[in-house]
Amino acid sequence: METATYRKVHWRADIQVDELASGKFQGMVLLLHDGRPTSEQVVHRTVDVFDTQEGALVEAKVLANRMLGELQ
């Protein structure tokens, strides 16, 4: 499964897809400020769940871009 990393200045958003117990998929964005410990990483999940990994990945990419766009 393809994953992606997006960057904005000192922020990094890593994209992942999580398979749920139901067999559906949910996108995740792992947001981290460079220079800070990974223990400060914040996990954001997409609201919707999907039948396919691809659907969840697309939604996670949208979420990551929106979140990074809102950061100063």
Side-chain angles (χ1 to χ4, degrees), residues 4 57 66:
L57 182 63
R66 189 180 83 228

Side-chain angles (χ1 to χ4, degrees), residues 5-64:
T5 297
Y6 296 97
R7 293 188 170 276
K8 179 179 180 181
V9 188
H10 297 288
W11 289 95
R12 184 178 82 219
D14 294 329
I15 310 305
Q16 294 182 1
V17 174
D18 188 24
E19 184 172 4
L20 306 175
S22 64
K24 295 196 181 261
F25 299 91
Q26 187 174 32
M28 298 188 323
V29 177
L30 310 167
L31 189 63
L32 179 66
H33 189 278
D34 289 338
R36 293 189 182 159
T38 56
S39 62
E40 293 184 19
Q41 177 173 273
V42 179
V43 178
H44 298 270
R45 291 181 171 272
T46 60
V47 174
D48 295 326
V49 295
F50 299 86
D51 292 330
T52 65
Q53 289 181 340
E54 292 78 16
L57 182 63
V58 168
E59 189 72 11
K61 288 179 179 182
V62 169
L63 178 60

